[in-house]
Amino acid sequence: MKDESFTIRLAEISDYPACLPLFKLLYHGDIGPDFRNVFQGYSKDGAILLAEASGKLLGILVGSYSLDIDWEGRTARIDALVVDENNRKKGIGKKLVKCFINAARKQNARAVKSRINTANIISQKLHEELGFSKADTYEYILELYRKLRSRKVP
């Protein structure tokens, strides 16, 4: 997908080093030693979309697909969305989400879900502008594996 100022494309494993600064921004530096493997694994049943201009990475959307019993079929999920701080308010996040919605339609997904931090009002508004509605559910997490943060990220 092209815009006058940036392009959106699928990521490749060779993009991993360029993506790290934005992922560190999104996760407040909390990136473990298995992150590269997870990044690479999204090519199997998901997508990592990159927004870039003149060879510079501006934003990333990480999305996945799965079967959902409630929806009686395949659903898509936005797992992560981040835009470079100096390039926000330029429609980059919106274009990334729209591109993923189009990809989800092509994958015959019945819905697109997105988990947003309760404090991220800007992202909540963006999703609402695009037609998302707040779900009447809570997400509970039982952590089964504690990530080791002491090792350096490759």
Side-chain angles (χ1 to χ4, degrees), residues 21-40:
L22 282 181
F23 282 128
K24 286 180 179 179
L25 174 68
L26 177 66
Y27 296 115
H28 308 286
D30 191 20
I31 304 234
D34 296 325
F35 198 82
R36 182 184 177 97
N37 294 335
V38 173
F39 180 94
Q40 188 169 3

Side-chain angles (χ1 to χ4, degrees), residues 4-60:
E4 297 94 38
S5 57
F6 60 91
T7 302
I8 296 179
R9 67 172 178 86
L10 283 171
E12 300 172 5
I13 189 61
S14 61
D15 293 311
Y16 177 76
C19 293
L20 264 179
L22 282 181
F23 282 128
K24 286 180 179 179
L25 174 68
L26 177 66
Y27 296 115
H28 308 286
D30 191 20
I31 304 234
D34 296 325
F35 198 82
R36 182 184 177 97
N37 294 335
V38 173
F39 180 94
Q40 188 169 3
Y42 267 88
S43 63
K44 293 177 188 159
D45 202 20
I48 299 176
L49 301 177
L50 306 181
E52 54 189 8
S54 303
K56 181 178 187 240
L57 185 60
L58 307 176
I60 304 170

Side-chain angles (χ1 to χ4, degrees), residues 94 98 122-133:
K94 184 180 281 190
K98 284 182 173 181
I122 293 170
S123 187
Q124 291 172 37
K125 287 181 181 178
L126 165 73
H127 282 73
E128 289 169 7
E129 286 174 17
L130 292 172
F132 285 77
S133 58

Side-chain angles (χ1 to χ4, degrees), residues 68-119:
D68 189 310
I69 193 76
D70 292 333
W71 286 91
E72 298 179 13
R74 192 170 171 87
T75 59
R77 179 180 179 105
I78 297 171
D79 298 311
L81 175 64
V82 61
V83 175
D84 175 71
E85 290 175 310
N86 296 322
N87 288 286
R88 293 183 180 166
K89 303 280 188 190
K90 296 179 180 178
I92 295 166
K94 184 180 281 190
K95 288 273 189 179
L96 283 164
V97 173
K98 284 182 173 181
C99 189
F100 185 66
I101 291 169
N102 289 335
R105 282 192 177 106
K106 290 177 184 172
Q107 292 284 331
N108 296 314
R110 296 186 176 222
V112 178
K113 301 176 180 184
S114 187
R115 187 178 69 190
I116 304 166
N117 187 302
T118 55

